[in-house]
């Protein structure tokens, strides 16, 4: 599943190659994604509009077509946005294609259809039920200052708090487990029973691991995806996630896999306290 670093990598690639281009054609068919894809509506609104810029909020991408509005995109479980040469083969499950200038196409591919493409008018963003409820961006500077005190007053396990999108936007299971391991904190420890300096360390590790993954994405992902290219195939060298039963890289004890708040969590009983 695309996580925040993958989405940020896509955003940067789009910003580099597609900012300032105008939408020519809109092709697609009205499939049911998380919401029905309104191809007819997009065909009325998008052609002739300039892509002013690309923003990210949590795992959402926002394509600004000023002054008309914004195309909101979520990749869901299996979605991909591909910048392609128009002559490159069209993959199965390509639901929407935007022609950009004479030499580029932006294609949305999503086999499992948990993704989302939604048109927002100016002003819709502030009242959007999901967007407006998203918490602090972990990569923003203010996360270091504002998040630890918010975690410190909560009674829930830290692992669940890190995944709570209303507190912190865009952190998924992989990076939550990794940040807890790096900071030596037991995933089931509650926010209110964790000292503030440890919470500061935890937030710092969340930022570090996400930042490393974004860096890695920037170096390993080709911006122009070939049909077999995949934005979801990279990850930082993870030391906790995916290593249940293996020796902890810090202390050598076997890492455990425990279910917490319905999600698998790999952790080390000896050095995460
Ligand atoms: Zn350990």
């Amino acid at each position: 599943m695309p996580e925040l670093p993958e989405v940020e990598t896509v955003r940067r690639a789009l910003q580099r190659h597609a900012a300032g281009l105008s939408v020519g054609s809109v092709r697609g068919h009205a499939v049911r994604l998380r919401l029905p894809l309104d191809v007819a509506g997009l065909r009325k609104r998008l052609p002739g509009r300039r892509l002013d810029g690309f923003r990210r909020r949590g795992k959402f991408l926002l394509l600004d077509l000023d002054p008309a509005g914004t195309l909101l995109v979520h990749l869901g479980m299996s979605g991909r946005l591909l910048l392609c040469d128009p002559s490159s083969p069209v993959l199965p499950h390509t639901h929407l294609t935007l022609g950009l200038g004479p030499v580029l196409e932006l294609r949305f591919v999503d086999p499992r259809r948990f993704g989302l493409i939604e048109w927002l008018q100016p002003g819709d963003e502030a009242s959007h039920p999901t967007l407006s409820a998203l918490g602090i961006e972990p990569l923003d500077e203010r996360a270091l200052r504002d998040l630890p005190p918010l975690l410190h007053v909560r009674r829930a396990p830290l692992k669940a708090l890190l995944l709570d999108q209303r507190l912190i936007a865009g952190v998924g299971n992989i990076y939550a487990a990794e940040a807890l391991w790096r900071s030596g904190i037991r995933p089931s420890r509650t926010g209110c029973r964790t000292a503030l300096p440890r919470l500061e360390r935890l937030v710092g590790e969340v930022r570090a691991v996400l930042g490393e993954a974004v860096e890695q994405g920037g170096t390993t992902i080709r911006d122009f995806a070939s049909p077999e290219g995949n934005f979801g195939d990279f990850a930082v060298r993870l030391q906790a996630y995916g290593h249940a039963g293996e020796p902890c890289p810090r202390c050598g004890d076997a890492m455990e896999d425990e279910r917490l708040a319905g999600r698998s969590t790999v952790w080390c009983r000896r050095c995460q306290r």
Side-chain angles (χ1 to χ4, degrees):
M1 185 193 307
E3 295 270 357
L4 186 154
E6 287 84 349
V7 179
E8 177 62 19
T9 300
V10 174
R11 186 196 71 77
R12 290 181 182 190
L14 290 172
Q15 186 67 36
R16 260 195 308 277
H17 299 289
L21 296 179
S22 292
V23 178
S25 57
V26 175
R27 298 198 307 278
H29 37 266
V31 291
R32 175 141 198 113
L33 301 173
R34 203 184 305 179
L35 292 174
L37 178 60
D38 180 16
V39 176
L42 296 178
R43 208 172 272 141
K44 260 182 262 165
R45 292 182 177 111
L46 300 189
R49 296 286 178 192
R50 208 174 76 105
L51 284 162
D52 268 5
F54 301 85
R55 291 176 291 139
R56 181 188 55 76
R57 191 73 177 89
K59 290 195 261 182
F60 288 92
L61 276 168
L62 296 113
L63 286 59
D64 287 325
L65 292 119
D66 270 356
T70 296
L71 199 60
L72 179 68
V73 178
H74 195 285
L75 300 176
M77 307 282 284
S78 60
R80 292 158 65 192
L81 276 175
L82 305 180
L83 272 175
C84 309
D85 185 300
S87 65
S88 67
V90 176
L91 290 178
H93 311 289
T94 298
H95 304 306
L96 185 71
T97 298
L98 305 182
L100 304 178
V103 294
L104 265 186
E105 279 184 358
L106 180 60
R107 298 177 186 168
F108 179 75
V109 183
D110 186 4
R112 297 184 63 185
R113 300 192 189 176
F114 288 105
L116 173 78
I117 293 184
E118 188 180 353
W119 177 252
L120 305 178
Q121 315 265 16
D124 285 355
E125 210 175 309
S127 59
H128 190 276
T130 313
L131 274 184
S132 64
L134 285 176
I136 295 172
E137 282 294 329
L139 293 177
D140 271 4
E141 285 286 327
R142 62 175 282 239
L144 269 178
R145 184 192 65 216
D146 295 350
L147 262 177
L150 287 175
L151 297 171
H152 196 48
V153 297
R154 304 290 289 261
R155 290 162 186 272
L158 283 168
K159 173 74 189 305
L161 293 175
L162 289 180
L163 297 182
D164 184 345
Q165 302 296 302
R166 293 162 302 176
L167 265 181
I168 174 167
V171 175
N173 207 33
I174 295 175
Y175 296 104
E178 204 63 20
L180 285 159
W181 181 82
R182 286 187 180 197
S183 50
I185 297 176
R186 178 163 48 90
S188 59
R189 177 176 279 284
T190 58
C192 61
R193 300 201 61 179
T194 310
L196 213 41
R198 298 192 77 196
L199 293 172
E200 286 164 0
R201 168 94 195 272
L202 175 62
V203 172
E205 295 293 1
V206 167
R207 288 166 51 81
V209 70
L210 290 172
E212 287 164 29
V214 170
E215 284 298 307
Q216 176 143 347
T219 57
T220 61
I221 301 298
R222 278 170 301 165
D223 292 346
F224 290 83
S226 58
E228 63 278 6
N230 194 340
F231 281 121
D233 277 351
F234 73 97
V236 285
R237 213 173 300 130
L238 298 167
Q239 313 208 65
Y241 185 88
H243 295 286
E246 295 174 24
C248 167
R250 197 161 39 210
C251 74
D253 269 19
M255 305 275 278
E256 299 192 21
D257 189 351
E258 191 178 347
R259 277 193 96 71
L260 191 65
R263 305 292 299 275
S264 159
T265 298
V266 178
W267 69 292
C268 174
R269 187 174 292 276
R270 185 157 170 201
C271 63
Q272 285 179 257
R273 298 188 168 268

